[in-house]
Amino acid sequence: MTAKGWKDLVLIGVLVLAAAFVPLVTDGYWLSIAVTAMMYIALTTAWTLFSGPTHYISLATGAFFGVGGYLVATGMSDHDLPFWLMAAIAPVVSVVLAALIGAATLRLSGIYFVIFTLGLAEMIRGLVSWVQNNFLGSRGLYVLTDFTEAHIYWMLLAIAATVYVIGWLIDRSRLGFAMKIIGNDEGVAKHLGIDTARAKVLLFMVTGFFSTLVGAIVAPRYSYIEPNQVFSPELSFMVVIMALLGGTQKLWGPIIGVIPFILIWETITASFPNATTLYLGLCFLAIVYFLPNGVVGLVQKIIAKGRSA
Amino acid sequence: MDILISGLLLGGTYALVAMGLNLQYGVARIMNLANGETLVLGALAAFLAFTAISLSPLVTMLVVAPLSFAANWVAYRLLLRPLVKRAKSPGQLEVDSILATFGISFALVGLMVSIHGEYYTYSFLARPIEILGTTVAENRLVAALVAAGIGAALVGWLNFTRTGTAVRAVSVDRQAAQLVGINVARVSALAFALGGAVTATGGTLISTFITLDGSMGVIFTMKALIIVIMGGVGDLRGSIIAAIVLGLVETAVASLIDPGLTLVSAYVIFLGILLFRPQGLFGKRNA
């Protein structure tokens, strides 16, 4: 187990190094797709950190991401604060938000959590638009920095790698052990004296932190920011699909889902822009009926079959 | 007074939609997140029939209800029943049904947007009418009255007929229902289909006074979910009261503060329920 754990870490290190060279060999269209893919890799890995072991489907990504993008924009545009200060404050705000959401919903059954996060991005968007229109004056927010696409790509890669390492460390900690028991049987975990709510809330806070950081880092890419655009419920669903498509038992599983999904998504957006929602729907159905454990699960099943045959 | 009457009328229509969802979740145990899209489909049918052959939505409703019943029956048998069979635990069924109905909901949004990508605007009974000194649009009043009629019929059917009693029995305890000779699979399919029909009818009614479009379903799903949880899962009476509470609060917030904050107000209610009465207004603890 320990040896295999180290092997996983080395493998990821090699992948990160290889990925770091992407902006040096490509630019323009393909680099922009690489940035999008890296953004989703960071988001899905952060999502899997919480939703993988707990099996709770979190739809809060859009809300966290929006908090990141919006706070950076309003801080820089309305108060002339530096980018890095806002990029540091935003995740902290989200950690508090995640703690509150977690405290309200994670003590109860998973269904309440899903429902609560379902409308969360939409709700915060409504609140933010209202505050902006009535108290701050409605004007566009600008995020102007010197970052190039390559810079954003490297920062996202660094976040994804950090999330992975943190996940790897959690997996080897008492918290990770507790999560495994909770994921298998929450009743057993409670009887063992594990504070299940506390463990879940903690993990959810970590996810919130990194999803927001991604939102903050990506903000300079849009330069002009509106609440309607950053608080996107669609983003939450895309993250869920990509993570489940890859498989959530392993922290690196989602990466396998992100790349094919993004390539197909870009093709569809380019040629049939009206069919994207239908595509999302069909992907969900395909996952439930044909790939209940994602691509990683399917491959594992095939290998297991090959061995037993 | 204005707020009270408008809120009651809005709540009456919400009640119908939430009853539909409650039948699906409380009896068939399927958390149907495509509920809002079912509603929007009902609205789309009303819009198309009205603009094409100026058919009254009240007539369209009579066509929408059986069609939606049949479609939901088929969806349950083909898509959701396999998940019920496959699930090893209630938790797994919950996750699977959430994902599957998300899929259905996105697929429906995609289809509806390709049928008609703009707002479903039409004008039906948009005349002012005065009740108790308050002026309301006639279409709101008609919608709320029809909703009340359907709701009353549904409650009567559940309480005073043999099949209705079977439906309630399945909602209370699936295994015990099976033991006394109720065909749980059949009753679940019936409840799911009926819930879909009720929701689509609600959509047809709502379309007479709210302008919808293909992508708005999720907001209605959200509201229906909040109502069902507030009223208690499986408790139709609770749903009706919760729907009226939500209708009143939303109308109050929209007219006193800002119409953009209705979802925020729904969330505040939801948060209060989660913190203080997660079992619903009339539910028992640990039930």
Side-chain angles (χ1 to χ4, degrees):
Chain A
M1 178 60 212
T2 324
K4 192 166 180 304
W6 286 107
K7 218 168 79 184
D8 275 0
L9 200 61
V10 171
L11 187 71
I12 286 294
V14 173
L15 278 180
V16 168
L17 268 181
F21 284 102
V22 169
L24 303 180
V25 295
T26 182
D27 55 7
Y29 176 69
W30 286 105
L31 181 60
S32 108
I33 287 190
V35 175
T36 308
M38 195 46 81
M39 173 183 112
Y40 281 112
I41 287 175
L43 287 173
T44 48
T45 315
W47 184 88
T48 308
L49 203 60
F50 170 75
S51 296
T54 56
H55 308 297
Y56 282 24
I57 298 164
S58 161
L59 294 169
T61 314
F64 290 139
F65 183 87
V67 167
Y70 181 77
L71 283 184
V72 163
T74 190
M76 290 177 68
S77 233
D78 291 339
H79 306 285
D80 283 326
L81 294 169
F83 172 80
W84 291 110
L85 179 68
M86 291 318 293
I89 292 176
V92 177
V93 171
S94 274
V95 165
V96 176
L97 183 68
L100 293 176
I101 299 165
T105 57
L106 289 173
R107 295 173 301 129
L108 306 163
S109 89
I111 199 85
Y112 296 99
F113 175 75
V114 182
I115 297 169
F116 198 87
T117 56
L118 168 63
L120 193 66
E122 195 73 22
M123 192 271 283
I124 297 183
R125 185 184 61 75
L127 199 62
V128 164
S129 309
W130 178 71
V131 170
Q132 218 191 355
N133 291 338
N134 288 282
F135 303 109
L136 302 175
S138 116
R139 57 206 139 112
L141 300 170
Y142 293 91
V143 179
L144 302 172
T145 55
D146 310 328
F147 296 141
T148 63
E149 290 269 274
H151 291 140
I152 295 175
Y153 176 88
W154 280 316
M155 287 190 278
L156 291 171
L157 177 63
I159 297 176
T162 314
V163 175
Y164 186 84
V165 171
I166 288 179
W168 187 85
L169 289 172
I170 289 178
D171 206 36
R172 270 143 200 80
S173 68
R174 282 172 63 87
L175 180 62
F177 192 44
M179 288 320 291
K180 275 182 211 131
I181 303 172
I182 294 173
N184 278 326
D185 192 325
E186 193 156 344
V188 171
K190 273 188 189 145
H191 279 286
L192 286 172
I194 296 170
D195 188 344
T196 54
R198 187 176 146 268
K200 286 183 283 186
V201 174
L202 272 177
L203 219 52
F204 188 53
M205 285 158 70
V206 178
T207 294
F209 182 92
F210 285 104
S211 312
T212 310
L213 192 58
V214 172
I217 297 291
V218 171
R221 221 186 158 196
Y222 302 120
S223 18
Y224 178 75
I225 285 199
E226 269 187 280
N228 284 349
Q229 163 203 7
V230 284
F231 288 101
S232 141
E234 192 184 71
L235 182 92
S236 311
F237 289 104
M238 292 188 50
V239 166
V240 174
I241 291 182
M242 287 184 246
L244 294 175
L245 187 63
T248 55
Q249 298 97 326
K250 291 271 187 286
L251 204 51
W252 46 263
I255 303 173
I256 296 171
V258 170
I259 294 168
F261 185 92
I262 288 294
L263 291 177
I264 299 176
W265 178 264
E266 291 291 334
T267 321
I268 292 183
T269 328
S271 34
F272 313 95
N274 292 324
T276 48
T277 325
L278 188 61
Y279 169 61
L280 272 182
L282 295 179
C283 278
F284 260 119
L285 291 173
I287 289 167
V288 177
Y289 294 100
F290 305 115
L291 283 171
N293 294 314
V295 174
V296 174
L298 186 72
V299 171
Q300 278 172 342
K301 209 165 116 189
I302 291 169
I303 293 173
K305 231 181 221 168
R307 271 185 197 149
S308 66
Chain B
M1 197 62 192
D2 278 12
I3 294 170
L4 203 62
I5 301 234
S6 312
L8 275 176
L9 294 180
L10 183 65
T13 322
Y14 278 172
L16 195 61
V17 176
M19 278 165 99
L21 181 69
N22 209 342
L23 274 174
Q24 296 185 324
Y25 186 50
V27 182
R29 294 288 191 275
I30 298 289
M31 177 47 88
N32 184 9
L33 295 170
N35 186 268
E37 277 66 35
T38 314
L39 182 153
V40 179
L41 266 179
L44 177 62
F47 166 76
L48 291 178
F50 192 86
T51 44
I53 49 171
S54 43
L55 197 61
S56 155
L58 296 176
V59 180
T60 313
M61 200 172 80
L62 300 177
V63 185
V64 164
L67 272 183
S68 171
F69 185 90
N72 276 280
W73 180 289
V74 172
Y76 182 80
R77 298 304 296 195
L78 288 185
L79 292 173
L80 300 168
R81 184 78 195 137
L83 297 181
V84 177
K85 278 193 190 153
R86 181 172 92 180
K88 292 183 197 83
S89 66
Q92 200 198 340
L93 176 61
E94 219 155 61
V95 171
D96 278 351
S97 61
I98 285 171
L99 293 175
T101 53
F102 268 144
I104 297 172
S105 108
F106 277 109
L108 286 178
V109 171
L111 287 178
M112 288 189 289
V113 169
S114 61
I115 292 174
H116 188 83
E118 285 137 47
Y119 285 107
Y120 308 158
T121 350
Y122 67 100
S123 165
F124 172 72
L125 290 181
R127 294 189 289 258
I129 186 172
E130 202 156 300
I131 28 168
L132 299 169
T134 304
T135 314
V136 293
E138 203 173 313
N139 47 26
R140 281 185 184 254
L141 183 66
V142 169
L145 288 178
V146 174
I150 297 173
L154 197 61
V155 171
W157 177 77
L158 282 172
N159 283 311
F160 302 114
T161 65
R162 222 179 137 74
T163 326
T165 311
V167 169
R168 282 187 297 132
V170 172
S171 148
V172 173
D173 190 329
R174 295 177 84 77
Q175 269 170 338
Q178 197 131 33
L179 284 176
V180 295
I182 294 170
N183 186 341
V184 172
R186 244 188 97 81
V187 169
S188 296
L190 176 70
F192 192 85
L194 195 62
V198 168
T199 305
T201 314
T204 307
L205 291 174
I206 286 177
S207 74
T208 60
F209 61 93
I210 296 180
T211 303
L212 298 174
D213 72 39
S215 60
M216 276 170 79
V218 65
I219 295 173
F220 286 96
T221 308
M222 197 63 216
K223 286 177 182 171
L225 288 169
I226 293 178
I227 292 169
V228 168
I229 290 171
M230 185 173 18
V233 175
D235 182 352
L236 286 191
R237 182 196 50 164
S239 285
I240 295 169
I241 294 171
I244 289 170
V245 170
L246 187 70
L248 286 173
V249 171
E250 276 196 2
T251 313
V253 168
S255 52
L256 298 178
I257 312 176
D258 190 307
L261 289 181
T262 49
L263 189 64
V264 179
S265 64
Y267 252 88
V268 172
I269 298 180
F270 188 30
L271 197 62
I273 291 289
L274 286 180
L275 291 178
F276 302 111
R277 285 198 78 81
Q279 71 277 32
L281 287 176
F282 308 103
K284 291 178 207 72
R285 222 161 246 285
N286 297 325

